[in-house]
C-alpha cells in the first residue's frame, strides 16, 4: 500500500459518484517509465528547407501530433475496478446500476473507462497509462537545419502494463517516419510497479478498521464510520 503521500479522506465524496465521505487508501501506484523517440534527417541550410516533409521539424511535428491525438486506450484494472465496485452502493439511483455492472456485464467496463477518460485529467489518469511529452530537443544553430531531434515521453503505467508496453505505444506514433526514427527506453529515474494490494485482504482490512475508528460522520441513520475504498496513485513527483 502507499503510506507516504497522496491519499486523503474526502468529506465531499467522490464526484460524480457519491457525496458521502470516503477515505481513499492507495493500494497501488502507477509505474514510472520514460521513452525517447529520436528522429533523423539529412539536415542542411535554413535558406533551403525541404518541401517533402523530411526535415527534423516536420518529423517531430507529426509524431507530436500523433501522441496528442492517439493516447493509450482507457481500461479498468484494479484498484480502480475495486474503487468503482465499492462506490456502487453509495452512488445515486441512476449511477449505481452502471457501477454494479462493472466486471459483470459485457461492455460496461469499456463504457465506464471511456466516460472517465473524457471526464477530467484526474479521472483519466485512473483508467489509462498516461503519456506526457516532457522534453523536445533539436538544432544547434539559428540557420542550420538539424540532423537529429528527440522527444522524451514520460509514461505512468497502469498495473499490468510494462516498459515494453510503453515502447510499443511509442512505435505506434511513428507512422510514415518510422524508417527515420528510433525508440529507446530512458533508464534514469524509472520506477517499476509494485503489486496491487488486495482490497479484500487482511492488510487493507486493518487499515480500514483503524480509519473507521478515527473518522466518523453524521449520516442518514446518525453517526456512522467513514467509507473506506482503495484507489490507484497516478504517480509521485520524481526529481
Amino acid at each position: 500500500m502507499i503510506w507516504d503521500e497522496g491519499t486523503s479522506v474526502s468529506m465531499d465524496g467522490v464526484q460524480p459518484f457519491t457525496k458521502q465521505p470516503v477515505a481513499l487508501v492507495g493500494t497501488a501506484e502507477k509505474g514510472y517509465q520514460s521513452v525517447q523517440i529520436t528522429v533523423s534527417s539529412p539536415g542542411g541550410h535554413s535558406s533551403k528547407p525541404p518541401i517533402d516533409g523530411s526535415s527534423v521539424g516536420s518529423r517531430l511535428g507529426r509524431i507530436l501530433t500523433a501522441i496528442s491525438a492517439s493516447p493509450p486506450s482507457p481500461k479498468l484494472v484494479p484498484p480502480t475496478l475495486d474503487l468503482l465496485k465499492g462506490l456502487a452502493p453509495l452512488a445515486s439511483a441512476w449511477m449505481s446500476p452502471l457501477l454494479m455492472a462493472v466486471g459483470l456485464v459485457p461492455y460496461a467496463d469499456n463504457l465506464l473507462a471511456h466516460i472517465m477518460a473524457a471526464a477530467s485529467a484526474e479521472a483519466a489518469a485512473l483508467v489509462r497509462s498516461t503519456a506526457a511529452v516532457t522534453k523536445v530537443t533539436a538544432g544547434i544553430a539559428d540557420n542550420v537545419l538539424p540532423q537529429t531531434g528527440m522527444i522524451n515521453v514520460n509514461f505512468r503505467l497502469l498495473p499490468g502494463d510494462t516498459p515494453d508496453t510503453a515502447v510499443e505505444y511509442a512505435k505506434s506514433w511513428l507512422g510514415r517516419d518510422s524508417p527515420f526514427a528510433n525508440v529507446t527506453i530512458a533508464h534514469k529515474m524509472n520506477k517499476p510497479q509494485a503489486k496491487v494490494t488486495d482490497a479484500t485482504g487482511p492488510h487493507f482490512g486493518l487499515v480500514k478498521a483503524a480509519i473507521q475508528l478515527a473518522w466518523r460522520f453524521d449520516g442518514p441513520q446518525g453517526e456512522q464510520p467513514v467509507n473506506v475504498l482503495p484507489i490507484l496513485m497516478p504517480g509521485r513527483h520524481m526529481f
Side-chain angles (χ1 to χ4, degrees):
M1 284 184 281
I2 312 301
W3 298 104
D4 60 340
E5 62 171 280
T7 54
S8 64
V9 178
S10 176
M11 298 306 293
D12 296 324
V14 179
Q15 301 297 332
F17 303 109
T18 183
K19 294 182 179 179
Q20 293 189 36
V22 177
L24 299 171
V25 177
T27 56
E29 185 175 7
K30 296 173 84 172
Y32 184 108
Q33 178 68 62
S34 287
V35 168
Q36 292 183 345
I37 302 172
T38 305
V39 300
S40 61
S41 176
H45 196 272
S46 62
S47 63
K48 295 181 290 183
I51 60 174
D52 60 356
S54 63
S55 69
V56 161
S58 295
R59 298 197 198 285
L60 292 177
R62 285 190 291 271
I63 295 172
L64 288 169
T65 299
I67 294 172
S68 178
S70 303
S73 298
K75 57 185 176 181
L76 291 185
V77 298
T80 301
L81 194 66
D82 301 319
L83 168 65
L84 296 175
K85 289 180 178 178
L87 286 170
L90 311 178
S92 60
W94 69 270
M95 179 69 74
S96 182
L98 177 58
L99 297 180
M100 292 176 66
V102 169
L104 299 174
V105 178
Y107 308 113
D109 292 19
N110 188 52
L111 173 62
L112 193 52
H114 279 81
I115 291 174
M116 292 181 66
S120 67
E122 292 77 14
L126 297 178
V127 295
R128 69 159 40 114
S129 290
T130 55
V133 174
T134 55
K135 290 187 289 185
V136 181
T137 59
I140 57 172
D142 187 54
N143 63 342
V144 176
L145 298 177
Q147 292 182 306
T148 61
M150 185 274 291
I151 301 170
N152 190 88
V153 185
N154 180 241
F155 285 87
R156 302 302 175 101
L157 298 169
L158 285 176
D161 284 352
T162 67
D164 288 339
T165 307
V167 170
E168 290 306 309
Y169 279 132
K171 288 181 177 179
S172 73
W173 297 320
L174 301 182
R176 61 178 274 193
D177 298 298
S178 180
F180 312 97
N182 187 41
V183 176
T184 57
I185 291 177
H187 291 283
K188 184 180 180 181
M189 296 296 287
N190 290 338
K191 183 175 70 66
Q193 295 174 356
K195 292 182 178 179
V196 178
T197 299
D198 184 1
T200 63
H203 303 94
F204 186 87
L206 286 172
V207 175
K208 178 179 179 178
I211 293 172
Q212 290 184 326
L213 281 173
W215 288 86
R216 305 182 72 83
F217 70 100
D218 292 327
Q221 287 79 42
E223 188 179 73
Q224 62 188 78
V226 70
N227 304 288
V228 181
L229 296 174
I231 194 169
L232 174 67
M233 285 287 294
R236 294 180 294 175
H237 300 287
M238 300 185 71
F239 301 96

